[in-house]
Amino acid sequence: MANEDIYTFSEAFPMKGGDGIHSYTLNSNLQGNGVIAAKKLITESIAEKLDIKIFSSLNICRIADLGCSVGPNTFFAVQNIVDAVKFKYKNLGLDSQIPEFHAFFNDHVANDFNTLFTSLPPNREYHAAGVPGSFYSKLFPNSLLHIVNCSFSCHWLSKVPKEVIDKSSSAWNKGRIHYANAPDAVVKAFEAQYQKDMDSFLCLRAQEIVHGGLLVIFSPSRPSGTSHSQSAYNMLVDALSPCLMDLVKKGVVDEKKVDSFNIPVFHFSPEELTQAVDRTGYFSIEEIKELPLTANGTLSLEQLSLHIRAIVELSVKANFGEEILDELFDLYLKKLQELSFNFNSENSINVFAILKRK
Amino acid sequence: MANEDIYTFSEAFPMKGGDGIHSYTLNSNLQGNGVIAAKKLITESIAEKLDIKIFSSLNICRIADLGCSVGPNTFFAVQNIVDAVKFKYKNLGLDSQIPEFHAFFNDHVANDFNTLFTSLPPNREYHAAGVPGSFYSKLFPNSLLHIVNCSFSCHWLSKVPKEVIDKSSSAWNKGRIHYANAPDAVVKAFEAQYQKDMDSFLCLRAQEIVHGGLLVIFSPSRPSGTSHSQSAYNMLVDALSPCLMDLVKKGVVDEKKVDSFNIPVFHFSPEELTQAVDRTGYFSIEEIKELPLTANGTLSLEQLSLHIRAIVELSVKANFGEEILDELFDLYLKKLQELSFNFNSENSINVFAILKRK
């Protein structure tokens, strides 16, 4: 238990807390669009796939949001599930039997739970609890949870594969902080880490979720048939590499620091998720869909740059120092403009999956 | 639900977070002594009074610590309960059936949960969750909890009775921040608030605790037959009043600010707790004891002064400003020395009670 204690700060990758100009609270609308897009699918799945008998005689519905960060997306996600369960009861003519709701908000111990707690919706219809710890460790007792949500968080790996920052390894990822444009050995190291982590994630959740309970996975994904280097989410992360190398050339950043820093994300494809579910065997896939991104037209490159900054700022700061942040993200915005970066149906999807605990 | 949102900062009275020289983490050994003294009693009570059938077929023991602050006392308290339950199973020859433990750490939303979470014991034997909110609101779904601990927190009222800061009321507590040496009308207002709050506390816990579950109350108390003004805990709090008035005389503090500030604590006697349990009717009293304080000899007046500072600093600061803190607590230490303050068997006890949900 308490495996999160083995995570170093750089591996925990907390989102930026508080509510300042670069905070995750104010710069998470890309995820927010995703949550809204998934709302209808979750409501339908709960209506069709969930047996309300799992709430047992105590009549309590226990929900967890894993990788919740600091809001407001996590509050929308949880309310969405609450609404869907209530809707189901109403449709069954069981208005008077709607259960009590207990919502568990989970993220790394380094997450800003103080901000999360002070921004809890005042008129919420659930009892709230915060659960600190990596979702690659067991977080709850056996058979506690009925509906678990994991939005925009399962693509974070438990750690950077050690060989990619090992100078003596053939998978050393020199001069890059991501695998998108890296040699094959680097990609393989990230794939292996993803497989290990996703298997571990599914096995742990299988213990915590009651039989018949649902696990919703909603993640930035790589479309089937799209290469790692052409996947939009990968391009977004990888675009930081040349910016950091520009700062190396200017003498602002030590090259060794770039060589020893990778961002532990893996944008898995729907197939790779299906394979992990089949491999572990605890869940059935009730639904798996590729959802197009609706972010274009609503997010400018400036906003996108702020969004990525909110996600990586704390870890970039811890590795490279605070003083490079503004210059780095100025370069980063220029890089996105230079690439004429845009999301389109070939390069970007989110994967939405509803799994049911067998 | 979420009644804590109606609490203002001054009513929430968070302990001082972080781990600095004036933090609660480093200045809570008075409570710590209490937890150690209660350990044996809790172990005995769990051995004798608890029916392990309440853990049900899921074999999970759910523990809550209400008013947990930021540790380390809360971790001792929870581990103590875990040890006592394990001890009971071992004594029954049921080692292999020891349940999983789920521990809920509760305090006001303004509590420093980030510090609490980062200081969770690395090798803990329980799954941890934080629960933000006043324990004068419903915090958990019905029938969730098996063992609830409330150490050194139930003496905090939900709010200052409004009449004691109302200039037009006969219970206006002019020039004082506590009822210990106040006119009868002020004492009556605090007594009424205590009764209302303790009744509410017991009714809420009756909903959250399973039948047969235990509620442990361990609080700084007023010994039977000791007047409010002679009770050591009251003397400790009330000694701040003349110090603040000294600062008024020096022109450092505005007198109106003293008149509008009271500390919402009530050091109830064992009889007053018994009456509340009888009045509400949901719990049986399995044990109620007056425990002598063991703090003397282990705590100097300097330490005691730091201890009181850790408890009240944030609220004093919010009301009077940060700039008075050092001067105020210098005066406060002198006042304790002038009073030759000491704990003795006539003026100070802690009350320890084990209640069982009927």
Side-chain angles (χ1 to χ4, degrees):
Chain A
M1 210 176 295
N3 286 351
E4 71 278 11
D5 300 306
I6 62 169
Y7 287 81
T8 63
F9 179 79
S10 67
E11 285 161 352
F13 262 76
M15 302 297 106
K16 180 145 191 195
D19 56 6
I21 187 172
H22 293 133
S23 68
Y24 183 80
T25 302
L26 291 187
N27 293 289
S28 47
N29 36 4
L30 181 56
Q31 291 93 327
N33 283 334
V35 171
I36 293 162
K39 183 173 165 65
K40 195 166 157 265
L41 285 166
I42 289 178
T43 304
E44 283 170 10
S45 299
I46 287 175
E48 290 163 22
K49 318 283 186 192
L50 189 83
D51 184 345
I52 60 171
K53 282 189 196 135
I54 65 169
F55 300 141
S56 80
S57 60
L58 280 176
N59 208 29
I60 294 172
C61 172
R62 298 196 190 96
I63 301 163
D65 190 43
L66 307 184
C68 65
S69 189
V70 291
N73 292 340
T74 187
F75 305 132
F76 295 141
V78 168
Q79 188 59 45
N80 189 8
I81 292 171
V82 168
D83 287 343
V85 172
K86 285 172 64 185
F87 182 75
K88 176 165 189 141
Y89 273 76
K90 282 178 186 162
N91 267 4
L92 292 168
L94 299 172
D95 302 49
S96 64
Q97 293 172 46
I98 290 172
E100 276 191 288
F101 294 95
H102 204 183
F104 294 89
F105 296 91
N106 156 260
D107 212 319
H108 277 291
V109 71
N111 187 51
D112 187 354
F113 282 95
N114 288 348
T115 295
L116 179 78
F117 286 168
T118 51
S119 54
L120 276 163
N123 299 315
R124 61 192 178 273
E125 300 170 90
Y126 48 83
H127 299 285
V131 177
S134 162
F135 53 54
Y136 296 116
S137 64
K138 189 153 183 261
L139 294 166
F140 302 94
N142 293 334
S143 306
L144 181 83
L145 301 169
H146 301 104
I147 306 171
V148 173
N149 185 63
C150 204
S151 285
F152 281 75
S153 50
C154 281
H155 60 302
W156 288 99
L157 300 173
S158 70
K159 60 178 182 184
V160 171
K162 62 180 183 307
E163 53 271 47
V164 307
I165 48 170
D166 174 3
K167 206 173 166 177
S168 68
S169 166
S170 60
W172 185 33
N173 197 17
K174 182 170 172 46
R176 281 174 303 268
I177 61 159
H178 190 253
Y179 60 87
N181 286 295
D184 227 35
V186 175
V187 177
K188 289 251 176 304
F190 271 88
E191 276 172 354
Q193 187 66 48
Y194 159 73
Q195 287 177 13
K196 199 176 147 206
D197 283 344
M198 185 52 85
D199 288 7
S200 161
F201 178 84
L202 292 170
C203 292
L204 289 161
R205 301 301 83 79
Q207 293 176 56
E208 297 162 354
I209 298 175
V210 298
H211 294 289
L214 301 181
L215 171 58
V216 181
I217 293 180
F218 187 52
S219 276
S221 182
R222 190 175 80 255
S224 320
T226 298
S227 69
H228 289 295
S229 63
Q230 292 306 307
S231 153
Y233 283 119
N234 281 352
M235 289 161 76
L236 266 183
V237 179
D238 198 52
L240 275 167
S241 297
C243 304
L244 281 163
M245 288 310 286
D246 284 351
L247 293 181
V248 168
K249 279 172 216 148
K250 282 183 73 177
V252 174
V253 162
D254 179 354
E255 188 166 6
K256 283 188 189 137
K257 286 197 174 169
V258 179
D259 295 343
S260 65
F261 180 75
N262 271 239
I263 295 188
V265 292
F266 187 82
H267 295 113
F268 52 85
S269 68
E271 288 77 6
E272 283 165 319
L273 178 57
T274 303
Q275 285 157 12
V277 175
D278 291 346
R279 208 160 46 226
T280 46
Y282 292 112
F283 292 91
S284 60
I285 297 180
E286 300 292 315
E287 181 135 23
I288 187 159
K289 269 188 191 304
E290 298 194 357
L291 297 184
L293 250 74
T294 56
N296 256 22
T298 60
L299 274 187
S300 66
L301 290 183
E302 284 79 5
Q303 286 171 314
L304 208 48
S305 151
L306 285 173
H307 165 81
I308 298 294
R309 178 168 180 164
I311 294 177
V312 302
E313 173 171 321
L314 287 182
S315 47
V316 168
K317 183 171 144 186
N319 194 63
F320 298 102
E322 184 162 17
E323 59 285 0
I324 75 154
L325 288 175
D326 287 338
E327 194 174 358
L328 175 66
F329 286 96
D330 282 349
L331 287 172
Y332 181 68
L333 174 57
K334 285 188 195 116
K335 178 59 73 184
L336 295 185
Q337 288 161 342
E338 194 184 306
L339 292 169
S340 303
F341 179 86
N342 78 321
F343 288 112
N344 61 49
S345 58
E346 273 88 55
N347 71 9
S348 51
I349 55 158
N350 292 322
V351 60
F352 175 87
I354 295 262
L355 312 182
K356 188 189 266 195
R357 176 71 172 97
K358 288 180 188 167
Chain B
M1 212 176 296
N3 286 351
E4 71 280 13
D5 300 307
I6 62 169
Y7 286 81
T8 64
F9 180 79
S10 68
E11 285 160 353
F13 262 77
M15 303 297 105
K16 180 146 193 196
D19 55 7
I21 187 173
H22 294 130
S23 68
Y24 182 79
T25 302
L26 291 187
N27 293 288
S28 47
N29 37 4
L30 180 56
Q31 291 92 328
N33 285 334
V35 171
I36 293 161
K39 183 173 166 64
K40 195 166 156 265
L41 285 166
I42 289 178
T43 305
E44 283 171 8
S45 299
I46 287 176
E48 290 164 22
K49 318 284 186 190
L50 188 82
D51 184 344
I52 60 172
K53 283 189 196 134
I54 64 169
F55 299 141
S56 80
S57 60
L58 280 176
N59 208 28
I60 293 172
C61 171
R62 298 196 191 96
I63 300 163
D65 190 42
L66 306 184
C68 64
S69 189
V70 290
N73 292 340
T74 187
F75 305 131
F76 295 142
V78 168
Q79 188 58 46
N80 189 8
I81 292 170
V82 169
D83 288 343
V85 172
K86 285 172 65 185
F87 182 75
K88 176 167 189 139
Y89 273 76
K90 283 179 186 162
N91 265 6
L92 291 168
L94 299 171
D95 302 48
S96 65
Q97 294 173 45
I98 289 171
E100 276 192 288
F101 295 94
H102 204 182
F104 295 89
F105 296 91
N106 155 260
D107 211 319
H108 276 289
V109 72
N111 187 50
D112 187 354
F113 282 95
N114 288 348
T115 294
L116 179 78
F117 286 168
T118 51
S119 54
L120 275 163
N123 298 315
R124 60 192 179 274
E125 301 169 89
Y126 48 83
H127 299 284
V131 176
S134 162
F135 53 53
Y136 296 116
S137 64
K138 191 156 181 256
L139 294 166
F140 302 94
N142 293 335
S143 306
L144 181 84
L145 301 170
H146 302 104
I147 306 171
V148 173
N149 185 63
C150 203
S151 285
F152 280 76
S153 50
C154 281
H155 60 301
W156 288 98
L157 300 172
S158 70
K159 61 178 181 183
V160 172
K162 63 179 184 308
E163 53 270 47
V164 306
I165 49 171
D166 174 2
K167 204 172 165 176
S168 69
S169 165
S170 60
W172 186 33
N173 197 16
K174 183 172 173 42
R176 281 175 302 267
I177 60 158
H178 189 254
Y179 60 86
N181 285 294
D184 227 36
V186 175
V187 177
K188 288 249 175 310
F190 271 88
E191 276 171 353
Q193 188 65 48
Y194 158 73
Q195 287 176 13
K196 198 176 149 208
D197 283 341
M198 184 52 86
D199 288 8
S200 162
F201 177 84
L202 292 170
C203 292
L204 289 161
R205 302 298 84 79
Q207 293 175 58
E208 297 163 354
I209 298 175
V210 298
H211 294 288
L214 300 181
L215 171 58
V216 181
I217 293 179
F218 187 53
S219 276
S221 181
R222 190 176 78 254
S224 320
T226 298
S227 69
H228 290 294
S229 63
Q230 290 308 305
S231 153
Y233 283 118
N234 282 351
M235 288 162 76
L236 267 182
V237 179
D238 198 52
L240 275 167
S241 297
C243 304
L244 281 163
M245 289 309 286
D246 284 351
L247 294 180
V248 168
K249 278 171 218 146
K250 281 182 73 178
V252 175
V253 162
D254 179 355
E255 187 166 6
K256 281 186 189 140
K257 286 198 172 167
V258 179
D259 295 343
S260 65
F261 179 77
N262 272 237
I263 294 187
V265 292
F266 187 82
H267 295 112
F268 52 85
S269 67
E271 287 77 6
E272 282 165 319
L273 177 57
T274 303
Q275 285 159 11
V277 175
D278 292 346
R279 207 160 48 223
T280 46
Y282 292 111
F283 292 92
S284 60
I285 298 180
E286 300 293 313
E287 180 134 24
I288 187 159
K289 268 187 192 304
E290 299 194 357
L291 297 184
L293 251 73
T294 55
N296 256 23
T298 60
L299 273 186
S300 67
L301 290 184
E302 284 79 4
Q303 287 171 314
L304 207 50
S305 152
L306 284 173
H307 165 83
I308 298 294
R309 179 169 179 163
I311 295 176
V312 303
E313 174 170 321
L314 288 182
S315 47
V316 167
K317 182 173 146 185
N319 195 64
F320 298 102
E322 184 162 16
E323 59 284 2
I324 74 155
L325 288 175
D326 287 338
E327 193 173 358
L328 176 65
F329 285 96
D330 282 348
L331 286 173
Y332 181 68
L333 174 57
K334 284 189 195 116
K335 178 60 70 181
L336 295 185
Q337 288 161 339
E338 192 184 306
L339 291 169
S340 304
F341 179 85
N342 77 322
F343 288 113
N344 61 50
S345 57
E346 273 88 55
N347 71 11
S348 51
I349 54 159
N350 291 322
V351 61
F352 175 87
I354 296 261
L355 312 182
K356 187 189 268 195
R357 176 73 171 96
K358 289 180 188 168

